[in-house]
Amino acid sequence: MNLRIPTSLILLLTALLAGAVGDPALTALMDRNLPGLSSKLTVELRPDSTDFFTIDSFDGRPRITASDRVCAAVGIHHYLNRFVGVQLTWDCMSPALPDSIPLPTETIHASTRQHLRYYLNYCTHSYSMAFWDEERWQQEIDWMAFHGINLPLAITGTDAVWDATLRRLGYPADSIDRFLAAPAYQAWWLMNNLQGEGTPMTRAMLDRSIRLQRHILKAMRQLDMNPVLPGYSGMMPADARRTLGLNVADPGQWCAYDRPSFLLPTDSAFSRIARIYYEEQQRLFGPADFYSMDPFHEGGNTEGVDLAAAARAIERAMLQASPHAVWLIQGWQENPRAEILQAISPDRLTVIDLHCETAPQWSSRGHLGHPWIWSMLLNFGGNVGLHGKLAHVIDDYRRACHSSAPPAGIGLTMEGIENNPVMFELACALPWMPDSVTADSWLRSYLRARYSTRIPAEIDSAWTLLAHSVYGAPASNRQQGTTESPFCARPSDNPVNASAWANAEPYYDSRDIIRAARLFASAARHLADNPHYRYDLVDITRQAITEAARIEARNFSEAARLNDSSAYRRASDRFMSLLLMQDTLLATTPQFRVDTWIRSARNAAPTPDLADAMERDARTLITTWGNRTASENGSLHDYSHREWAGLLSGLYATRWRTWFAARLAHWTSPTLPAIDFFAIDSIWTASTADPRIGPSHDPIILCPRLLDRL
């Protein structure tokens, strides 16, 4: 049979193969962030069983060839980094492009066996993303694509799934909002730690979360990402035995909060409730290939629970809803228990090894033959501060890849984002990086992409100091994230940690950070118009002021030990001066202002009457965290502290002034002043007044002046 293909179709196919007709999703991705880029690049998609991208030139234009859209986006970003000196990070997703972009001077081919590239911690959704709108989510999804993420956790809208599920079960409608947690607290609700915390959910809030999740999922899938949805793991309201007649176990408390109950797998209702949950989830958002379930997170009591039977019930319900789905479970503390791993086939359960840079499970106890994802946590609570293990992250990831049970993927599992871009750029580069790359050579490529293809000597020297000090934490260091700011700590004579679990371990000299900041600031004549430089100038200067305050804190601690009130007063006055300097500095940059956080919370209120309540949630989460019992008995206060303008001058300064005044007034007293800091914090959390933030200055001018005062 002789088939004649029309000439027009041949021309169209030829154009598609050559990349002349762009992929709509990739075209939109490029032009959202770098207007006009799609007209200057050729991008071709060539599906393959291996994830890859190639950079070369074709017909006088740079060309990216890749196996799917995420890999193409990584290739685009790699080309921009390597040949254009353009970097896309949280602090600037829309850098200026030159009028013309260069042809690659070499062909670059990169591939990875890490086919699962996971993103997000449940906590990130509350500590950083609780109040985002569609525009901010789109920007983050674009960031994910450019950084190779293809397996993002997407929990938004699960409140609406639970609302619909409970209504079908006949649970009292007027009790549902006492089970559902507000957006600021949904991370811990969905990890079975608490229920009903924060602003009571309304129909308008649920409708907003449905619309937002549909936008999120559509945007992710358009770029070939595979969203991970929360599955059903047995969680039920704490009163489910009384209200629904269910056979449930009591998992106990989490940080003084009563946990939701756990539906025993032996209850015949387990499969019925799970089926209803998945039906409602699929009605709202469609099916998924991956479901996240962590039924016994952070020490939940498992007494009376057959863990193997629970695992099989969870798996069975998941597969009935989505026959080819995979269960993702967090590897954190004692989880996942061996009984769960032994009960589930490796092809149906993958472990996210949550904190590999500090507490890796893969090398300490293994995952019993299950696929696993090497993950970097790094940030706890969304705290602000420079910190990292540059060399160790590379070494441990490579050690894992060359082990007898290498990872199936890599993940970023930070509790808060928009911090330490150098560490997250490194982690995203790992699966594409040849073994010949060292920490020093990678850092130089990072600096060229971030600041200039010709790195000023001052930048090079500053980053050498940073890399071998604050970003050079040793492998043995086990502290939770950054060495916390003494400004944010509950006042005392020895303010080492702000949060209960910080566990700071001195590993660098504060004076090195101050020297690095001065060197970095001296490069302003070369880079004053570079947005990354301006952001880093504020961040590094912020860290230098924090380090100067740490020195003064040691001074007043020593004065207290020596009973020298004059020295104590001098050091405390200097400490307060530094705190207010910090507030002035951070007012220059939206990412470091508390009113940015508060405004997003108020804007997330779907009706005007909810704005004040949403603001209170936002203020509470970053200070007391919860009520007095959770804050004090549960030790949650200041877990999510932030070095932010307005929070420093509005709350932390008040706490420290109160402490220093009382301490000096009672200097000869045998006991230290008893101050109710929760009461002080609560005045700030209950307020809806605009935070007191001074005028904004140009950091290029301000930073050298502040550094001269250190």
Side-chain angles (χ1 to χ4, degrees):
M1 185 175 181
N2 186 16
L3 289 176
R4 295 191 61 185
I5 302 175
T7 303
S8 59
L9 180 57
I10 293 174
L11 291 174
L12 176 60
L13 289 171
T14 303
L16 284 169
L17 289 172
V21 176
D23 177 85
L26 289 172
T27 296
L29 171 71
M30 287 185 276
D31 291 343
R32 270 194 303 270
N33 299 282
L34 298 148
L37 179 60
S38 66
S39 65
K40 299 174 182 180
L41 274 179
T42 296
V43 181
E44 299 179 10
L45 297 178
R46 295 182 180 172
D48 196 285
S49 58
T50 299
D51 289 355
F52 80 92
F53 68 83
T54 299
I55 302 171
D56 59 11
S57 59
F58 175 79
D59 199 21
R61 288 160 47 131
R63 177 174 63 176
I64 312 297
T65 308
S67 51
D68 63 20
R69 292 179 180 89
V70 167
C71 293
V74 177
I76 292 166
H77 195 211
H78 192 93
Y79 162 77
L80 292 170
N81 282 193
R82 181 85 168 254
F83 299 106
V84 189
V86 166
Q87 187 187 75
L88 301 167
T89 56
W90 292 307
D91 54 276
C92 183
M93 281 291 289
S94 298
L97 272 181
D99 292 336
S100 61
I101 58 176
L103 290 174
T105 54
E106 57 183 311
T107 296
I108 296 174
H109 180 82
S111 62
T112 180
R113 295 177 181 174
Q114 306 298 297
H115 62 283
L116 302 177
R117 297 184 295 280
Y118 180 79
Y119 186 53
L120 296 174
N121 188 310
Y122 277 86
C123 299
T124 331
H125 285 266
S126 288
Y127 284 137
S128 293
M129 301 167 161
F131 311 115
W132 283 4
D133 56 15
E134 290 184 4
E135 180 181 3
R136 181 61 186 88
W137 263 109
Q138 184 65 66
Q139 184 185 87
E140 192 66 18
I141 293 164
D142 291 352
W143 184 96
M144 295 180 204
F146 285 122
H147 290 81
I149 303 301
N150 62 7
L151 197 63
L153 178 64
I155 73 171
T156 305
T158 309
D159 43 18
V161 175
W162 269 104
D163 177 75
T165 299
L166 291 174
R167 289 178 186 277
R168 284 182 60 181
L169 291 174
Y171 187 73
D174 59 356
S175 298
I176 291 177
D177 67 357
R178 292 196 291 274
F179 174 64
L180 307 181
Y185 294 94
Q186 287 188 3
W188 304 280
W189 169 54
L190 292 175
M191 289 190 291
N192 310 337
N193 297 151
L194 52 74
Q195 62 180 41
E197 187 70 5
T199 302
M201 296 295 288
T202 67
R203 186 70 254 169
M205 293 169 71
L206 294 172
D207 289 343
R208 180 185 186 272
S209 70
I210 292 170
R211 291 192 302 271
L212 186 56
Q213 177 73 332
R214 286 173 175 168
H215 170 83
I216 291 167
L217 296 176
K218 180 179 179 181
M220 287 176 174
R221 288 165 177 155
Q222 283 177 339
L223 289 168
D224 291 341
M225 297 176 191
N226 209 336
V228 180
L229 300 184
Y232 184 75
S233 61
M235 181 173 77
M236 291 302 295
D239 63 357
R241 183 183 298 276
R242 176 177 59 82
T243 56
L244 296 173
L246 298 175
N247 188 13
V248 295
D250 179 6
Q253 289 193 325
W254 176 85
C255 295
Y257 281 104
D258 291 332
R259 296 176 186 261
S261 62
F262 178 76
L263 179 58
L264 292 175
T266 52
D267 191 310
S268 59
F270 193 102
S271 60
R272 177 175 62 89
I273 292 172
R275 175 178 53 77
I276 292 172
Y277 174 92
Y278 284 113
E279 285 176 355
E280 293 302 323
Q281 186 180 63
Q282 293 188 9
R283 177 180 64 83
L284 291 170
F285 307 124
D289 294 326
F290 292 87
Y291 290 95
S292 174
M293 292 164 284
D294 194 16
F296 305 106
H297 181 70
E298 290 197 347
N301 176 27
T302 60
E303 184 178 350
V305 178
D306 184 330
L307 292 174
R312 287 191 290 268
I314 291 168
E315 178 199 34
R316 185 164 53 249
M318 176 187 74
L319 295 179
Q320 286 173 349
S322 186
H324 303 290
V326 173
W327 174 1
L328 294 184
I329 190 167
Q330 295 180 122
W332 175 249
Q333 296 182 355
E334 69 267 43
N335 290 324
R337 268 86 163 180
E339 295 93 328
I340 291 177
L341 294 178
Q342 291 165 346
I344 306 299
S345 170
D347 63 340
R348 287 288 173 243
L349 185 147
T350 294
V351 179
I352 305 166
D353 205 331
L354 216 63
H355 196 192
C356 283
E357 81 275 22
T358 298
Q361 292 189 351
W362 71 269
S363 57
S364 61
R365 70 185 198 191
H367 300 297
L368 302 185
H370 287 264
W372 63 283
I373 296 173
W374 189 101
S375 303
M376 183 180 78
L377 206 163
L378 186 72
N379 180 273
F380 288 76
N383 305 151
V384 177
L386 307 186
H387 174 67
K389 301 180 177 181
L390 269 172
H392 173 66
V393 162
I394 296 175
D395 292 343
D396 191 74
Y397 172 74
R398 286 180 179 162
R399 185 165 67 95
C401 289
H402 293 294
S403 71
S404 59
I410 187 168
L412 304 182
T413 52
M414 58 290 229
E415 290 189 356
I417 65 166
E418 298 177 320
N419 56 74
N420 288 297
V422 63
M423 292 305 303
F424 295 109
E425 292 296 307
L426 171 62
C428 291
L430 287 174
W432 310 96
M433 186 190 298
D435 283 356
S436 59
V437 175
T438 65
D440 288 343
S441 64
W442 180 85
L443 182 60
R444 287 193 64 80
S445 68
Y446 171 82
L447 300 181
R448 286 194 297 269
R450 190 160 180 82
Y451 305 125
S452 172
T453 52
R454 299 181 65 181
I455 307 169
E458 303 95 326
I459 295 291
D460 191 60
S461 298
W463 268 100
T464 297
L465 276 171
L466 293 173
H468 293 93
S469 58
V470 72
Y471 284 115
S476 59
N477 179 280
R478 297 183 66 81
Q479 70 186 51
Q480 286 201 355
T482 184
T483 304
E484 296 177 340
S485 170
F487 293 141
C488 307
R490 283 270 179 98
S492 71
D493 280 344
N494 188 32
V496 176
N497 297 315
S499 60
W501 296 278
N503 189 33
E505 301 174 21
Y507 67 91
Y508 63 89
D509 188 333
S510 291
R511 293 168 296 183
D512 285 341
I513 313 305
I514 297 171
R515 283 195 292 268
R518 288 173 174 151
L519 282 166
F520 195 84
S522 68
R525 65 186 185 278
H526 303 295
L527 298 170
D529 294 330
N530 182 298
H532 298 306
Y533 174 79
R534 295 176 72 88
Y535 174 88
D536 288 349
L537 176 63
V538 172
D539 200 15
I540 295 170
T541 302
R542 177 206 54 73
Q543 190 70 35
I545 294 173
T546 297
E547 299 304 331
R550 208 180 310 281
I551 293 169
E552 289 303 334
R554 288 196 288 267
N555 289 340
F556 68 67
S557 295
E558 180 66 5
R561 188 184 71 82
L562 297 174
N563 199 31
D564 186 339
S565 62
S566 296
Y568 191 95
R569 185 182 300 275
R570 287 193 301 272
S572 62
D573 286 348
R574 169 74 169 155
F575 182 88
M576 289 302 302
S577 174
L578 290 166
L579 187 154
L580 296 177
M581 282 171 55
Q582 190 78 297
D583 195 79
T584 299
L585 168 69
L586 298 182
T588 66
T589 306
Q591 295 95 323
F592 294 114
R593 295 172 58 113
V594 74
D595 56 353
T596 301
W597 173 250
I598 290 173
R599 193 178 307 112
S600 68
R602 296 190 69 86
N603 290 342
T607 54
D609 59 303
L610 290 170
D612 287 354
M614 297 288 278
E615 177 175 348
R616 282 192 293 273
D617 284 354
R619 286 172 175 257
T620 300
L621 186 65
I622 61 175
T623 51
T624 63
W625 207 98
N627 58 34
R628 182 182 284 274
T629 301
S631 174
E632 308 306 300
N633 299 347
S635 301
L636 285 170
H637 69 81
D638 296 302
Y639 181 85
S640 184
H641 66 273
R642 314 287 169 96
E643 264 196 348
W644 280 348
L647 187 53
L648 283 157
S649 59
L651 175 60
Y652 299 145
T654 301
R655 295 198 315 201
W656 278 108
R657 285 194 192 100
T658 303
W659 168 262
F660 287 138
R663 182 73 173 89
L664 288 165
H666 299 84
W667 187 260
T668 58
S669 172
T671 58
L672 293 176
I675 298 171
D676 186 348
F677 288 112
F678 180 85
I680 294 174
D681 293 351
S682 295
I683 294 171
W684 189 86
T685 61
S687 174
T688 55
D690 288 340
R692 296 175 296 174
I693 300 180
S696 182
H697 301 270
D698 182 351
I700 299 296
I701 297 171
L702 179 64
C703 288
R705 293 176 180 173
L706 297 180
L707 290 166
D708 284 345
R709 295 168 58 186
L710 300 186

